Amino acid sequence: MLQSIREQIKVHTRQYARRQMTWFNHQMPVHWFDPANKQAIFDALEDWYGKDKSI
């Protein structure tokens, strides 16, 4: 019984996360990053901040 509940929680958590990703993708342009690739994140941030120097 307890194992079944744990499995349901895992399934529902994944489903909720996928619904959140779908919602974000329809609200604004989103670029998803692999959390393990920190350098790509830093590079993208540097590019984004460096685009408009007048701010």
Side-chain angles (χ1 to χ4, degrees), residues 18-31:
R18 285 176 34 206
R19 283 195 306 271
Q20 285 180 318
M21 289 179 71
T22 299
W23 184 85
F24 275 111
N25 284 331
H26 287 94
Q27 298 301 312
M28 62 193 88
V30 177
H31 181 89

